[in-house]
Amino acid sequence: FSIGQKINAIDKVNDTKTVALIGDKKITKKTFDTFKELYSAGDNMPSDAEIIDKLIEKEVIYQQALKENITVSEEEINKALQEQKDIVSKEGEEKEDFKNWIQGKNISEEEYWENRKDSIKKGWIRGKYINKLKDELKKENPNIQNSEFQSKFKEHYNNKVNSLKNTIKIEKFIK
């Protein structure tokens, strides 16, 4: 089974059971299972609780970015799509993986790219917000060395995420 086939099988099970609530935004079992499958392709398989926490973190950051009116243009989305298309169009492992993915999902390339637009948009909005947090940290610490910036930023980011989590009702229905 390719990962595309496994995700396709998850997609076919319309499991809308809620595994977490962030404000009024639901994270469904289907979304959770998809992320779990994607993580399983890597070397470090997180626990179910860690996956839920990561999904909550992504949603909290996204919601805050929207509150702060952070947006992306169609042009930015299309540019990101084109960059991804360029990567998978080159001969090699990425192209093979991509072909296997869409074949496993039983969709066309066009369908795949159309489906990617929303996740690219959300990812870019989160990315812009994270960059804003980095800029804030640099302003607060103008003399910070690059060598210590990453650890300082990680702390700053985690504090911000925890602060945001405390301002919104979060319920987890999976342990």
Side-chain angles (χ1 to χ4, degrees), residues 9 22 24 31-32 37 50 71 76 80 84 87-88 90 99-100 103 110 117-118 120 143-144 155 157 166-168 174:
I22 303 99
D24 61 357
T31 300
F32 171 81
E37 190 58 46
E50 290 169 324
T71 61
E76 288 171 308
Q84 289 184 12
I87 290 169
V88 299
K90 293 184 176 99
K99 283 183 175 179
N100 289 335
Q103 191 173 25
E110 293 77 28
K117 281 186 175 181
D118 191 50
I120 286 173
N143 299 322
I144 193 168
E155 181 183 339
Y157 176 82
N166 289 329
T167 66
I168 195 165
I174 224 175

Side-chain angles (χ1 to χ4, degrees), residues 74-127:
E74 275 300 310
E75 187 179 318
E76 288 171 308
I77 293 168
N78 290 334
K79 183 178 181 229
L81 269 175
Q82 189 57 53
E83 288 170 359
Q84 289 184 12
K85 286 178 182 180
D86 291 346
I87 290 169
V88 299
S89 70
K90 293 184 176 99
E91 289 301 324
E93 195 173 327
E94 284 90 359
K95 186 173 187 171
E96 212 46 49
D97 289 346
F98 176 68
K99 283 183 175 179
N100 289 335
W101 174 270
I102 63 171
Q103 191 173 25
K105 296 252 316 156
N106 198 26
I107 59 173
S108 69
E109 274 192 51
E110 293 77 28
E111 287 173 294
Y112 173 82
W113 294 117
E114 192 57 39
N115 294 339
R116 288 285 300 141
K117 281 186 175 181
D118 191 50
S119 62
I120 286 173
K121 179 181 178 181
K122 286 181 176 181
W124 267 63
I125 288 172
R126 281 192 307 268

Side-chain angles (χ1 to χ4, degrees), residues 42-172:
D43 295 335
N44 249 351
M45 182 63 185
S47 68
D48 287 359
E50 290 169 324
I51 293 170
I52 288 286
D53 287 342
K54 192 64 176 168
L55 289 168
I56 289 169
E57 174 188 317
K58 289 171 79 129
E59 184 60 31
V60 165
I61 290 293
Y62 179 69
Q63 286 183 21
Q64 185 61 31
L66 291 179
K67 283 181 189 170
E68 295 187 22
N69 297 314
I70 294 175
T71 61
V72 294
S73 66
E74 275 300 310
E75 187 179 318
E76 288 171 308
I77 293 168
N78 290 334
K79 183 178 181 229
L81 269 175
Q82 189 57 53
E83 288 170 359
Q84 289 184 12
K85 286 178 182 180
D86 291 346
I87 290 169
V88 299
S89 70
K90 293 184 176 99
E91 289 301 324
E93 195 173 327
E94 284 90 359
K95 186 173 187 171
E96 212 46 49
D97 289 346
F98 176 68
K99 283 183 175 179
N100 289 335
W101 174 270
I102 63 171
Q103 191 173 25
K105 296 252 316 156
N106 198 26
I107 59 173
S108 69
E109 274 192 51
E110 293 77 28
E111 287 173 294
Y112 173 82
W113 294 117
E114 192 57 39
N115 294 339
R116 288 285 300 141
K117 281 186 175 181
D118 191 50
S119 62
I120 286 173
K121 179 181 178 181
K122 286 181 176 181
W124 267 63
I125 288 172
R126 281 192 307 268
K128 283 185 171 185
Y129 181 74
I130 290 167
N131 287 337
K132 180 181 178 226
L133 293 178
K134 287 179 180 178
D135 291 343
E136 288 171 3
L137 183 62
K138 287 176 187 172
K139 278 184 184 166
E140 293 167 12
N141 303 277
N143 299 322
I144 193 168
Q145 299 297 313
N146 284 343
S147 58
E148 66 176 316
F149 180 79
Q150 275 307 86
S151 63
K152 278 266 196 217
F153 178 70
K154 187 175 183 177
E155 181 183 339
H156 179 66
Y157 176 82
N158 288 335
N159 288 340
K160 185 66 173 180
V161 168
N162 289 331
S163 171
L164 292 171
K165 283 180 179 179
N166 289 329
T167 66
I168 195 165
K169 184 177 180 183
I170 297 174
E171 297 178 78
K172 298 179 195 179

Side-chain angles (χ1 to χ4, degrees), residues 25-48:
K25 172 68 174 147
K26 293 178 181 181
I27 295 176
T28 64
K29 177 88 166 80
K30 182 175 172 178
T31 300
F32 171 81
D33 287 342
T34 300
F35 270 82
K36 187 172 183 172
E37 190 58 46
L38 291 172
Y39 280 121
S40 75
D43 295 335
N44 249 351
M45 182 63 185
S47 68
D48 287 359

